[in-house]
Amino acid sequence: MSREIFALKGTICYSTSPTELSITEGGYVVCENGHCAGVFPELPDRYRQIPCTDFGDELIIPGLTDLHIHAPQYTFRASGMDLELLDWLNTITFPQEARYEDTEFARAAYTIFAEDLKKGPNTRACIFGTLHVPATEILMELLNQTGLKTMVGKVNMDRNGSPVLQETSAQASADATLSWLEDTLTKFENVKPILTPRFIPSCSDELMEKLSALQQKYHLPVQSHLSENLGEIAWVQELCPDTHFYGEAYSRFGLFGGDCPTIMAHCVHSSDEEIALMKKQGVYIAHCPQSNINLSSGIAPVRRYLDEGLHVGLGSDVAGGTCSSILRAMADAIQVSKLYWRLIDSSMKPLTLEEAFYMGTEGGGSFFGKAGSFKEGYEFDAVVLNSSTIPTPLKLSPKDRLERLVYLSDDRNISAKYTAGRKIL
């Protein structure tokens, strides 16, 4: 189905605010030229003759957005989970990512990754590749074929990598990035480039200056990591002694929000100053609860971020996280918020289902513009969820069914998926 006008019928569920759900049983959501024309209890006369797919009482929700995932790490999910972040990077991640210099290996691995994303509930994602330009372009090519809307980054790292995974200089990294940008900036319909300094320990000041110049020239978004692990934060302070907090190490190069759309993953241990700057600059936080547990990083104070009005979405952070479904990230976000409330700060109430659902839909989707909602004018991303694979003798409300689907996070529950008005599953 292409970008013509059509309707889906079912139980329509989407966020009207960060704390409220709209649920229309037996309702219709209309797509017109790739955008949502509205949700209706009955089809208006002007839409009576349009094609309509009836999904019965199945739940129809907006597509989900993963704000932080590492494509090359998909191959070793659930490996090295007894290690903390920095040891895990050096022991598992860097040696495995070095393999993507081999384009044959890269194509095989990325084909599996792209197919997994296509069959899951996510319709959009911001994705790390590796520092290898040919492999990153293969990743973009394969993702483009899925119909998913994604942003993909060629990783930059000119220091503190490994003998097999580090660029030879800041200039070499910048030159490779420029070559990649010139080749991919307008090449794909569904995939766009995003600047990707791995994190401050991997990028020299000289490289950050060069990336800043590229950002200003091409007006690109940026993705990186922030305040994930206490050892990492201490390391950044050693590397950047003239900064007061981790985020300032990005901000001094103009790569921390403002006119530069920015995603910072984790923000587990952000200081008051860092939080204030993120709010001022409109930085998006990619909350990655499963990864933060697996790598013993801690629990991000997401309740505070939401209450203070920061932009917060969800990230699977594969392979720190083991599951690419943002349904799973919703459940994990709720669960870790309960631990934060019980064990760390009793004034920080746990997340509700409504809040986690918002973060996984419109909260993260808004980084792409008008995405992640069935509000009129938003791009038409939709996922149809069927709960027949989890039978019960109970008569459940739509919200109860949504909660079960979130917590069970099973790809077998997906009946159909649409991205920007196109049926891709």
Side-chain angles (χ1 to χ4, degrees), residues 6 161 185 264 317 366 371 416:
F6 64 91
L185 198 60
M264 286 290 156
D317 195 26
S366 61

Side-chain angles (χ1 to χ4, degrees), residues 38-328:
V39 174
F40 309 95
E42 298 288 343
L43 272 181
D45 290 341
R46 66 185 182 277
Y47 296 132
R48 292 289 182 185
Q49 303 304 315
I50 68 173
C52 179
T53 303
D54 189 345
F55 287 101
D57 68 346
E58 294 181 35
L59 290 176
I60 303 174
I61 66 171
L64 311 183
T65 293
D66 189 340
L67 281 185
H68 186 66
I69 182 169
H70 294 259
Q73 297 178 16
Y74 185 86
T75 57
F76 59 89
R77 290 174 302 154
S79 300
M81 295 288 95
D82 291 339
L83 300 172
E84 287 193 47
L85 173 66
L86 298 180
D87 288 339
W88 181 76
L89 289 174
N90 290 318
T91 305
I92 306 290
T93 303
F94 290 168
Q96 286 296 327
E97 287 195 13
R99 300 186 67 182
Y100 287 80
E101 185 175 7
D102 178 350
T103 55
E104 186 175 343
F105 176 83
R107 185 169 292 277
Y110 284 151
T111 296
I112 297 169
F113 170 76
E115 284 303 309
D116 178 74
L117 281 196
K118 182 175 180 178
K119 73 181 183 181
N122 309 340
T123 55
R124 295 174 187 255
C126 294
I127 301 169
F128 279 57
T130 63
L131 57 80
H132 311 98
V133 170
T136 303
E137 293 195 17
I138 289 170
L139 173 61
M140 296 174 83
E141 169 200 326
L142 292 168
L143 286 168
N144 189 62
Q145 294 170 9
T146 67
L148 300 167
K149 296 291 185 181
T150 63
M151 298 182 191
V152 170
K154 173 223 165 296
V155 170
N156 296 102
M157 46 190 303
D158 71 330
R159 66 177 179 182
N160 297 320
S162 70
V164 291
L165 193 75
Q166 181 171 304
E167 293 164 300
T168 56
S169 67
Q171 189 64 56
S173 181
D175 288 347
T177 302
L178 177 59
S179 174
W180 165 69
L181 285 174
E182 289 180 339
D183 193 37
T184 62
L185 198 60
T186 59
K187 184 175 183 178
F188 302 109
E189 178 183 4
N190 300 312
V191 186
K192 302 301 178 187
I194 181 170
L195 285 179
T196 306
R198 185 176 206 114
F199 64 162
I200 290 296
S202 290
C203 298
S204 66
D205 287 359
E206 182 184 357
L207 176 54
M208 293 297 282
E209 288 174 355
K210 293 181 183 300
L211 293 179
S212 178
L214 288 174
Q215 192 283 322
Q216 292 175 47
K217 179 178 179 180
Y218 292 99
H219 307 289
L220 292 170
V222 170
Q223 61 179 355
S224 196
H225 300 83
L226 182 69
S227 299
E228 178 179 359
N229 171 278
L230 292 174
E232 169 206 20
I233 294 169
W235 193 13
V236 171
Q237 189 60 53
E238 291 177 12
L239 293 168
C240 308
D242 55 334
T243 60
H244 298 90
F245 51 90
Y246 195 160
E248 193 173 39
Y250 294 102
S251 181
R252 60 182 176 158
F253 299 105
L255 300 176
F256 201 69
D259 294 331
C260 172
T262 301
I263 298 170
M264 286 290 156
H266 304 296
C267 306
V268 176
H269 303 287
S270 292
S271 65
D272 291 345
E273 288 178 291
E274 188 165 271
I275 293 168
L277 187 58
M278 284 192 288
K279 182 175 181 178
K280 178 183 177 182
Q281 297 290 93
V283 170
Y284 275 70
I285 296 170
H287 177 41
C288 306
Q290 190 181 93
S291 173
N292 297 156
I293 295 169
N294 287 338
L295 299 178
S296 303
S297 296
I299 307 172
V302 177
R303 163 59 59 208
R304 177 179 178 182
Y305 297 153
L306 291 176
D307 287 351
E308 292 197 22
L310 278 74
H311 297 296
V312 188
L314 295 173
S316 65
D317 195 26
V318 166
T322 60
C323 178
S324 61
S325 171
I326 291 301
L327 289 175
R328 173 64 187 271

Side-chain angles (χ1 to χ4, degrees), residues 336-350:
V336 301
S337 75
K338 292 176 181 177
L339 292 177
Y340 195 94
W341 166 69
R342 179 63 71 189
L343 301 176
I344 299 174
D345 187 344
S346 61
S347 71
M348 295 291 175
K349 294 181 180 179

